[in-house]
Amino acid sequence: MRKTIKKIYNAELFNEFFDNEKSSGLILIGCTLFSLLMANTMFGKEYLHTWHYHIGGQSVEYWVNDGLMTIFFLLIGLELKREIYHGELSNIKDALLPIFAAFGGMIVPAGLYLLLNYGTVTHSGAGIPMATDIAFALGVLSLLGSRVPISLKIFLTALAVIDDLGAIMVIAVFYTNTIFWFNLCSALGILLLLFVLNRLKVKNLIPYLIGGGIMWYFMLHSGIHATITGVLLAFVIPGGEDGKKSPSSIMEHLLHKPVAFLILPLFALANTAIVISSNIGETLEQHYSIGIALGLIVGKPLGIYLFSFLAVSAGICKLPGDISWKTVASVGFLGGIGFTMSIFITLLAFDDQTIISNAKFVILLSSLIAGVTGFLFLKVTLKEGTNEGNN
């Protein structure tokens, strides 16, 4: 009985997650179009100044990217923890297919980017085409309606969550220049204290939130990007067998709508205010531009399909009965919708504002091409039917 209730609750959480993400994806499209339009009109300078206006010594854009996005990462961490302990990733056999797909979707795009940029000043952008934007990808998938099998929704969601974790690890390891050890040790000391509270079964959220806020401050001044605090905090907030009553589940439920309908739209508005160059051809000819485009449009679907195929062929995992290889290839293009994490890594990878603006534009264009391609392919393959098995 307890297991049945647990499965029902996990299904409810997944459906809530999926519904919020698909709605958020559609809102993000609107915010992106609005921001691009505003930045390229006669009101462009005033609009850009809005995001560069200083509050507390830092710009509004800074507080969105380094402050509010920490809450986004906290939600990602909570969702990942739930999937690992109670969800689709709790059964290692079921988890292996999206894990291999995610690895392929990270390794191949990064490899293609480095092939064109290794040894240049832009080689640090290799992480840009590695991650999938969950909100946009599920938003596009939702446009196909009831023809999408639940196993495909779960596959894409798990894949996106896993490679978001990969992107977080890449940020922590490769996009840290100078470490200030006192601040880092202070942040980790607070994390240890929160872990002790967890083991003592302290379930009141207040000490975790206060500790998380202090940890964020020290992490912000440690040299490691402060948003990592969100993921670390997620794993010390108590979960367990309490279902909806556990602090972790309560926090996840509370954060879904603010993240989907406030934080991510603000991120989109702040980071897609791109003044499009009159010489688009020159922008697209840059090695980093070609690397990003190839990584997202070609590398993502190729890596997802290839690693999935190799894993299934080796007998490590199996393909769900209602998903065909054509469907896997098609959904791989949705993995090429980078957006949030790709733009986020762009801000860390480059210092030159021209390169940052150009890279953002290429990310948007490549994500659009990948998304439309994936939608059209899925519309055909799902119309043919999803019961082709492994054929």
Side-chain angles (χ1 to χ4, degrees):
M1 182 69 178
R2 193 180 207 181
K3 287 184 178 179
T4 304
I5 293 172
K6 183 177 170 184
K7 284 182 179 179
I8 292 171
Y9 174 59
N10 287 334
E12 287 176 355
L13 266 181
F14 174 78
N15 288 331
E16 179 184 8
F17 169 72
F18 183 81
D19 289 341
N20 280 335
E21 291 296 336
K22 72 181 183 183
S23 300
S24 176
L26 298 176
I27 292 172
L28 284 176
I29 292 172
C31 289
T32 300
L33 292 174
F34 174 81
S35 194
L36 278 171
L37 180 65
M38 287 297 295
N40 290 277
T41 63
M42 58 186 295
F43 305 106
K45 286 186 179 179
E46 290 78 8
Y47 181 69
L48 290 170
H49 179 71
T50 301
W51 300 109
H52 297 152
Y53 182 80
H54 276 59
I55 298 174
Q58 298 291 348
S59 67
V60 173
E61 183 183 31
Y62 172 88
W63 289 117
V64 170
N65 292 339
D66 287 57
L68 291 181
M69 285 300 284
T70 303
I71 301 173
F72 165 73
F73 278 86
L74 171 58
L75 179 60
I76 290 292
L78 291 170
E79 288 163 349
L80 180 64
K81 185 170 81 167
R82 169 172 52 83
E83 290 299 319
I84 291 173
Y85 288 110
H86 307 296
E88 297 305 319
L89 302 181
S90 60
N91 184 327
I92 188 62
K93 196 167 185 179
D94 293 337
L96 283 174
L97 181 62
I99 287 174
F100 272 91
F103 282 168
M106 291 186 282
I107 294 169
V108 175
L112 287 175
Y113 182 95
L114 284 174
L115 192 65
L116 292 166
N117 291 272
Y118 185 76
T120 70
V121 294
T122 55
H123 76 276
S124 58
I128 295 172
M130 288 177 65
T132 299
D133 189 284
I134 300 175
F136 266 124
L138 294 184
V140 172
L141 192 64
S142 71
L143 297 176
L144 294 159
S146 59
R147 71 176 75 183
V148 181
I150 186 65
S151 56
L152 186 61
K153 295 177 183 178
I154 291 171
F155 173 74
L156 180 58
T157 303
L159 183 157
V161 169
I162 292 165
D163 76 6
D164 266 0
L165 175 64
I168 291 166
M169 293 174 67
V170 166
I171 290 170
V173 175
F174 295 104
Y175 293 102
T176 298
N177 295 319
T178 304
I179 295 178
F180 297 94
W181 289 103
F182 174 79
N183 291 321
L184 178 59
C185 289
S186 298
L188 294 179
I190 294 168
L191 179 67
L192 179 61
L193 177 61
L194 295 178
F195 176 75
V196 171
L197 292 179
N198 178 301
R199 303 314 296 169
L200 292 173
K201 301 189 183 301
V202 175
K203 295 188 177 182
N204 190 318
L205 275 169
I206 293 176
Y208 295 98
L209 296 179
I210 293 174
I214 300 171
M215 181 167 61
W216 176 85
Y217 174 83
F218 282 111
M219 194 68 79
L220 181 68
H221 296 91
S222 70
I224 295 175
H225 204 273
T227 52
I228 301 299
T229 306
V231 179
L232 297 176
L233 179 60
F235 278 86
V236 294
I237 293 176
E241 300 291 332
D242 295 335
K244 294 181 180 179
K245 296 180 180 179
S246 74
S248 183
S249 298
I250 291 170
M251 178 62 69
E252 184 180 349
H253 177 75
L254 289 174
L255 290 180
H256 267 148
K257 285 183 170 56
V259 168
F261 303 117
L262 177 63
I263 292 174
L264 287 180
L266 278 174
F267 178 84
L269 289 169
N271 290 284
T272 57
I274 305 165
V275 178
I276 299 174
S277 170
S278 57
N279 195 345
I280 295 176
E282 186 178 332
T283 298
L284 298 178
E285 288 174 356
Q286 302 300 316
H287 282 192
Y288 61 87
S289 297
I290 299 172
I292 292 170
L294 270 180
L296 291 174
I297 300 170
V298 178
K300 268 292 186 181
L302 178 62
I304 289 169
Y305 182 90
L306 181 61
F307 275 58
S308 297
F309 183 79
L310 291 174
V312 172
S313 298
I316 297 172
C317 52
K318 63 180 181 179
L319 201 64
D322 56 355
I323 298 181
S324 69
W325 283 116
K326 290 180 183 178
T327 307
V328 173
S330 301
V331 85
F333 282 98
L334 298 189
I337 304 176
F339 197 75
T340 305
M341 291 301 295
S342 293
I343 290 175
F344 195 82
I345 293 175
T346 297
L347 300 173
L348 301 176
F350 305 131
D351 295 318
D352 189 305
Q353 288 302 314
T354 300
I355 293 178
I356 289 174
S357 292
N358 290 344
K360 285 182 181 179
F361 175 74
V362 176
I363 289 167
L364 294 180
L365 183 61
S366 302
S367 295
L368 176 63
I369 293 171
V372 171
T373 304
F375 173 79
L376 293 176
F377 281 6
L378 280 170
K379 193 171 182 181
V380 173
T381 56
L382 293 178
K383 188 175 182 180
E384 291 176 352
T386 58
N387 297 316
E388 299 173 42
N390 292 357
N391 295 325

